[in-house]
Amino acid sequence: MKRKIMFTIILLMAGSNLLLTQAKNDPYVEAENQDWGDLSNPAAIWSSDAAIVHAGRLQSASDVDAFTVSFADPKAEFAFEIYVPVCGQHFADFRPSVALIGPGLQTPPAGTLPFDLPQGMGARVFADDRSLNGARIAVPANNVTGDNPVYATNSQKFSVPQAASYTLTVWEPDGRIGAYMLSTGEGGDTFGSRPQAERDASFNDLFSGAWMGQDCNAPLTLAGCATDSSSASPAVKNPSDSFVLTGIVRDVATCQPISTAKLSYFVLGSYTTFPNGKVTTDDAGSYQIESAMFDSYKHILVTITAPGYQMAVADYALGTHPGSAATFDLALQSKPKP
């Protein structure tokens, strides 16, 4: 019997403020010309207890980022969580796996890891569920990047059997390229002896989103799309004082427009009430979202559904001074056949 799953987009709405105060994690951001390291030369996580986040990119199908973390005493649990930024629709299928490698751990089944284990070492592996038929959960606020939406997994914990140095690895089993945030530890506001100026610079880098290496407002590249001007979204003219976001919803495989697709949207920012609503595409697959706009509004988070298609989540990032109109084309994937 086919399992039916309901997918929920978690929206923190009435009475909450989505612009969180400074994140609780000690942030480290992968520079453009930097890599977090590999199994032979991993980057160091300075504490197994402190709440730390490493933001980085997997830049090729074979890229594996590696971190080393030491435990002075055997620990029952080592907490971690993987966040993937909601970046338009670009990272929707990017699902990094995480492995803890070290002594005293069992050898996982063959083919589980994209690399060979060091001699005498075992591993515990966390893999994001790739069998779900629908959109991933999108959280509009979190303790890492404030009110920048993310795809989030549940917090995970690895058991550490002995006092030793272990290696934490991150990779994408299907070879997809994308950005992630690896959050480790649960120690709250514990920043060690890190200079304040360095910490502030890392927060600025993290919140800027530049480390993701992707223009989130750029449309997905749809291989089946025609290149003539008739296939492009029309230019938008907005005579009102509102902000207008318009575009076409298409089939990923065929590039054909999808009529009667339903879009639910929320304009997110530091205000405690958010413009929101629902619109439906017309026969040409076109939609139009119109909303009052303030400089404090930063994102338009959209969920898209249509019969026969997987639900999708998208995020349009507003500029500091958003213009009166913009285009943002979207795409849906067909549901797998049973």
Side-chain angles (χ1 to χ4, degrees):
M1 186 173 87
K2 184 178 179 181
R3 185 175 64 159
K4 295 182 179 180
I5 305 173
M6 179 177 293
F7 299 92
T8 304
I9 305 302
I10 300 177
L11 294 170
L12 308 180
M13 293 297 295
S16 65
N17 188 328
L18 293 187
L19 182 60
L20 301 184
T21 56
Q22 184 160 292
K24 303 302 183 184
N25 299 69
D26 185 13
Y28 295 84
V29 180
E30 186 178 54
E32 185 175 355
N33 58 350
Q34 175 188 357
D35 190 82
W36 279 132
D38 53 28
L39 284 169
S40 63
N41 186 31
I45 297 177
W46 66 267
S47 169
S48 60
D49 294 315
I52 300 171
V53 62
H54 284 81
R57 301 174 301 278
L58 297 179
Q59 303 182 68
S60 69
S62 59
D63 193 8
V64 177
D65 284 352
F67 307 85
T68 184
V69 56
S70 297
F71 300 89
D73 298 298
K75 285 185 166 292
E77 296 174 326
F78 171 58
F80 71 94
E81 189 166 1
I82 281 280
Y83 298 94
V84 171
V86 180
C87 180
Q89 289 186 274
H90 293 279
F91 302 151
D93 293 326
F94 179 70
R95 297 174 182 261
S97 292
V98 179
L100 183 71
I101 300 169
L105 300 175
Q106 295 182 351
T107 302
T112 303
L113 301 172
F115 48 80
D116 294 329
L117 283 172
Q119 187 69 28
M121 300 295 180
R124 285 204 169 95
V125 179
F126 164 78
D128 198 352
D129 189 346
R130 315 178 87 76
S131 66
L132 297 181
N133 177 21
R136 304 165 72 187
I137 294 175
V139 182
N142 62 91
N143 282 332
V144 177
T145 57
D147 61 358
N148 293 312
V150 296
Y151 300 114
T153 61
N154 292 327
S155 180
Q156 306 293 321
K157 291 183 179 180
F158 282 140
S159 296
V160 180
Q162 64 188 63
S165 290
Y166 287 77
T167 300
L168 206 61
T169 57
V170 181
W171 74 98
E172 218 290 345
D174 290 336
R176 294 188 174 96
I177 295 171
Y180 69 89
M181 292 166 284
L182 175 65
S183 175
T184 57
E186 298 177 314
D189 298 313
T190 307
F191 301 104
S193 58
R194 193 176 187 191
Q196 182 67 44
E198 178 185 321
R199 192 192 317 162
D200 290 344
S202 289
F203 276 118
N204 291 336
D205 290 343
L206 183 67
F207 295 145
S208 75
W211 57 275
M212 296 188 295
Q214 174 65 53
D215 176 3
C216 295
N217 289 347
L220 292 176
T221 300
L222 303 181
C225 284
T227 56
D228 61 275
S229 59
S230 65
S231 68
S233 296
V236 181
K237 294 182 180 180
N238 178 23
S240 72
D241 294 330
S242 299
F243 179 79
V244 172
L245 185 67
T246 190
I248 298 175
V249 178
R250 301 181 187 276
D251 184 301
V252 166
T254 67
C255 202
Q256 293 301 305
I258 301 173
S259 62
T260 67
K262 298 185 183 302
L263 289 80
S264 299
Y265 68 90
F266 295 82
V267 183
L268 305 176
S270 62
Y271 279 64
T272 56
T273 58
F274 323 106
N276 65 88
K278 298 180 180 180
V279 296
T280 302
T281 57
D282 60 19
D283 290 342
S286 296
Y287 74 89
Q288 180 169 299
I289 293 171
E290 183 171 352
S291 173
M293 192 58 55
F294 300 95
D295 286 348
S296 60
Y297 290 136
K298 297 183 178 180
H299 303 271
I300 299 179
L301 186 63
V302 182
T303 64
I304 315 103
T305 59
Y309 290 89
Q310 298 182 47
M311 186 172 71
V313 178
D315 177 64
Y316 182 83
L318 298 166
T320 305
H321 301 287
S324 60
T327 58
F328 188 48
D329 288 347
L330 301 166
L332 292 178
Q333 295 184 11
S334 297
K335 289 183 178 178
K337 296 187 182 299

